[in-house]
Amino acid sequence: MRPRSTVLLGPDYSGKSSVLERLAERGTWTVVSYDEALLDPVYSLIGRVRDEFLTEALRAPAGRYSSDLFLTLVQIAAVHLRDRVADAPPDRPVIVDSYHYKLLAKCSLLGYDNPSLLSWWRSFPPPDQVVYLDVEPAVAWERSGWGAGANPMEHYGEKPTEESFTRFQADLGDVLRKELAGLNVITLGQSDGVEESVDLVEKAVRNGAHG
């Protein structure tokens, strides 16, 4: 019997990574992510691909790498998440960092589009529920250091401006909600801190499991 799986999702700077780190520290969850702080060292290949993607492919001049090659690199992360969920131990709940939903939405918004690949991502087994951490684009802009910390997959155009960032984040939220149509989604608004967010996420998962 497979464990219940929850996807933790939200726009950029929603606090998702901090919540996942706290949940991992509690030891009662299987946390699945490709972020550096949460990636099991045995999957160092995934970390190397992630690092090369962030430092080389994502920042390369337009046209150096084809859209298909770009998506192929991104797909490594998506497939890794799928595989780790499938192989998770059955004795504790699984919480997944965005699954393929955020990768898919961002690639679509930025013009990296291959219907065959994206259709395959959409065929991955769905989670039991999604907890969506919502945040206003203006708040995300402030949390990004007014653009100083934003990477090229968090805004439109070559450089982040308040307009290009907040417009992208608003569009990202819209696309994510469309991708989640038909799933069990619990939306949580902004909280007063990480610990409150963690408590709200755990409560939402418990209620979803018994709903």
Side-chain angles (χ1 to χ4, degrees), residues 48-62 64-65 69-70 73 112 152:
R48 293 196 300 273
V49 172
R50 179 202 60 223
D51 292 345
E52 289 297 328
F53 174 78
L54 291 172
T55 59
E56 167 60 20
L58 190 56
R59 300 179 186 278
R64 175 175 293 177
Y65 301 113
L69 191 146
F70 186 94
L73 291 173
Y112 298 104

Side-chain angles (χ1 to χ4, degrees), residues 30-196:
T30 297
V31 177
V32 177
S33 175
Y34 54 83
D35 276 358
E36 183 176 7
L38 294 165
L39 183 66
D40 189 319
V42 301
Y43 301 114
S44 60
L45 170 64
I46 307 302
R48 293 196 300 273
V49 172
R50 179 202 60 223
D51 292 345
E52 289 297 328
F53 174 78
L54 291 172
T55 59
E56 167 60 20
L58 190 56
R59 300 179 186 278
R64 175 175 293 177
Y65 301 113
S66 70
S67 178
D68 284 351
L69 191 146
F70 186 94
L71 283 173
T72 298
L73 291 173
V74 174
Q75 183 165 274
I76 290 172
V79 174
H80 174 71
L81 297 177
R82 184 205 64 179
D83 290 350
R84 298 284 60 76
V85 173
D87 293 340
D91 57 340
R92 55 184 178 177
V94 179
I95 191 158
V96 191
D97 185 353
S98 301
Y99 204 23
H100 62 280
Y101 298 116
K102 196 168 183 179
L103 295 171
L104 191 156
K106 288 191 170 194
C107 288
S108 297
L109 286 172
L110 294 172
Y112 298 104
D113 194 19
N114 180 312
S116 296
L117 289 179
L118 299 187
S119 293
W120 185 50
W121 298 8
R122 291 186 176 103
S123 75
F124 290 177
D128 293 291
Q129 63 186 355
V130 177
V131 177
Y132 189 91
L133 297 180
D134 208 0
V135 63
E136 291 296 326
V139 174
W141 172 248
E142 181 178 347
R143 291 179 178 178
S144 76
W146 294 274
N151 72 49
M153 289 193 78
E154 296 175 348
H155 59 85
Y156 291 119
E158 293 185 5
K159 295 182 178 180
T161 65
E162 183 172 5
E163 189 278 335
S164 69
F165 179 93
T166 56
R167 182 164 55 89
F168 181 85
Q169 295 301 318
D171 291 346
L172 177 62
D174 290 342
V175 174
L176 287 174
R177 291 181 182 92
K178 290 178 182 176
E179 290 292 337
L180 299 176
L183 297 177
N184 176 23
V185 181
I186 302 166
T187 300
L188 301 178
Q190 293 172 213
S191 65
D192 292 331
V194 175
E195 293 304 324
E196 182 181 352

